[in-house]
Amino acid sequence: MTDLDTVVIGAGVIGLAIARALAEAGREVMVLERNAGIGQEISARNSEVVHAGIYYPTGSLKARLCVRGRHLLKSFAAEAGVPIKPLGKLIVATSEAEVAAMRALAATAHANGVDDLVEISGAEARVMEPAVQAVAALHSPSTGIVDAQALMLSLEGAMANAGGQVVLSTEVTSIVPIAEGGFRLFLGGEQAGEELTVANLVLAAGHDGPRLAHGLAHANYTPPPRSYFAKGNYFALAGKSPFSRLIYPMPVPGGLGIHATLDLGGQVRFGPDVEWIEALDYQVDARRVPSFYASIRNYWPDLPDGALFPAYAGIRPKIVPEGAPAADFRIDGPETHGHAGAALLFGIESPGLTSSLAIAEVVVARMG
């Protein structure tokens, strides 16, 4: 006999989306979050972009769940009153040398089911965004922005209405399987020495997921991945935005390039870059600003000197090291790890926010 039916570890957007789906499917759900509020780590430190599904290998979880998740997210936002804006995006080729790669990206997007992506000329791009310098561009009208905090609050509210609950300031330090079925969770912090037993478990703990999963070692289970940290710094622009849409350069290893995004108030911010680090550190290093000016001026040559100031930083939960090919989302179910009633999530980086509701569908289906 266990204390609880289902526990979700992690109250970021992924954990909350899964918890809401499980609660609405009739499960008794409790979400355990180590911080004093929901969504204070990965989910609070991103671009808040609703992606179309352009960048990801065809057939990958990232591609399938981004396209599906975008539709689910827009419907949920409309029903729940979550602020969302389909601003659109230009992906710009700033030299003739980038055009072939841009067209390859468009082919991938079309194969992924993105049916509204259009190639335009540099002149057409400047009509849409006069400040942009480009020789060609892709216009993605489906790309937009969403209020991530409002989304998480709405997911939490929907879960609570279905009988679930979030318990804050409760850290799970380790997990071990119970021989007769279920899992034993050991707690830390103010609850140090306490433990819970649960019948079903969802591990959506972001950066801490791989470490916690090692307690679920099984003879037939491929070892959980390692955590690697790819920091993304953001700088905000002083003054009025020169853009009405999101502006993206061509992707770079480890990320999508230093792009221009708008928040719901209309302020522009640039980022993220890719800075591989050894430990979690959310300080923005102002010494990186020269590389931002150089990158941004490739597509906005009129960026004034002294116009950028540090905003915030996020850290991608990578499961492969620097230089390795990008990893897909990893959602390990019982068929992978051998433990009935558990779903373990790793490497849920971009487009995780967009994909969150579709990821929840997958987890509910795998848990039965």
Side-chain angles (χ1 to χ4, degrees), residues 47 49-50 85-92 116-118 120 123-132 137-145 237 240-249 258-263 266-270 299-300:
S47 299
V49 171
V50 180
K85 286 185 179 180
L87 296 177
K89 172 171 74 175
L90 294 183
I91 304 172
V92 296
D116 58 356
L117 191 67
V118 178
I120 60 175
E124 290 170 318
R126 284 187 291 278
V127 169
M128 297 174 73
E129 294 289 349
V132 162
L138 299 174
H139 177 221
S140 172
S142 295
T143 302
I145 55 173
L237 177 71
K240 183 180 178 181
S241 171
F243 311 118
S244 60
R245 296 169 183 82
L246 313 183
I247 310 296
Y248 278 57
I258 294 174
H259 45 268
T261 62
L262 297 164
D263 63 23
Q267 184 179 25
V268 69
R269 57 198 171 198
F270 295 95
Y299 58 84
W300 182 30

Side-chain angles (χ1 to χ4, degrees), residues 33 58 60 118 125 138 142 146-147 193 212 269 287 299:
E33 168 56 50
T58 302
S60 66
V118 178
L138 299 174
S142 295
V146 65
D147 185 329
L212 287 172
R269 57 198 171 198
R287 293 173 298 180
Y299 58 84

Side-chain angles (χ1 to χ4, degrees), residues 313-356:
I315 299 175
R316 306 168 182 89
K318 296 284 189 180
I319 53 175
V320 292
E322 181 179 6
D328 200 2
F329 292 157
R330 183 164 158 181
I331 305 174
D332 291 0
E335 73 284 353
T336 302
H337 53 62
H339 297 289
L344 314 178
L345 286 77
F346 310 109
I348 311 297
E349 55 175 326
S350 181
L353 176 66
T354 306
S355 306
S356 56

